[in-house]
Amino acid sequence: QVQLVESGGGSVQAGGSLRLSCAASRYIYDSSCLAWFRQAPGKERKGVAAIETDGTTTYADSVKGRFTISKDNAKNILYLQMNSLNSEDTAIYYCAADPGRCWGSWLLVRSYDYWGQGTQVTVSS
């Protein structure tokens, strides 16, 4: 199996930026579908962004133009750059991975086998 560990969460003011990182315990990022999800209190976990093995990306409508997903295959680190943050972005953010290419709905929870422990992002006004 593989372990995923998120970092970079914290508290920021509306309009600010934050970059999340996710490190894997073994080198899998060059051959896996990778994604970021988030879950607000009392709500269902939802997909934020995903990236294919070839670098192709997809984003939830709510974050398009503000968030950017990227990866460093050599370092086995996945990133989520978040800009123009607002209160609606407050949630626990999770890193997810699934060996192989992305297939079907990339932002679906059930599509992923490995998950990080989550990191809290709080946006205040």
Side-chain angles (χ1 to χ4, degrees):
Q1 302 297 85
V2 62
Q3 286 183 270
L4 301 177
V5 181
E6 303 96 334
S7 62
S11 181
V12 299
Q13 291 190 321
S17 298
L18 208 60
R19 188 179 75 164
L20 305 182
S21 299
C22 177
S25 60
R26 64 183 180 87
Y27 295 95
I28 64 168
Y29 286 2
D30 63 334
S31 58
S32 298
C33 177
L34 308 169
W36 286 97
F37 286 75
R38 66 185 183 186
Q39 186 169 22
K43 296 186 177 181
E44 189 175 28
R45 188 173 302 184
K46 293 183 175 295
V48 175
I51 184 167
E52 178 60 279
T53 54
D54 64 359
T56 302
T57 60
T58 189
Y59 297 89
D61 289 340
S62 60
V63 306
K64 285 182 179 178
R66 298 189 299 121
F67 290 12
T68 301
I69 186 172
S70 62
K71 62 176 181 175
D72 186 327
N73 290 335
K75 296 182 178 180
N76 228 31
I77 300 178
L78 178 70
Y79 302 99
L80 182 67
Q81 178 65 47
M82 305 184 292
N83 300 323
S84 301
L85 289 164
N86 57 63
S87 60
E88 296 178 353
D89 297 316
T90 294
I92 297 176
Y93 284 71
Y94 299 89
C95 172
D98 182 40
R101 297 186 60 185
C102 299
W103 187 38
S105 298
W106 296 12
L107 301 180
L108 199 64
V109 169
R110 68 183 185 186
S111 296
Y112 299 87
D113 294 328
Y114 306 118
W115 295 84
Q117 82 287 355
T119 185
Q120 178 70 48
V121 171
T122 302
V123 184
S124 61
S125 59

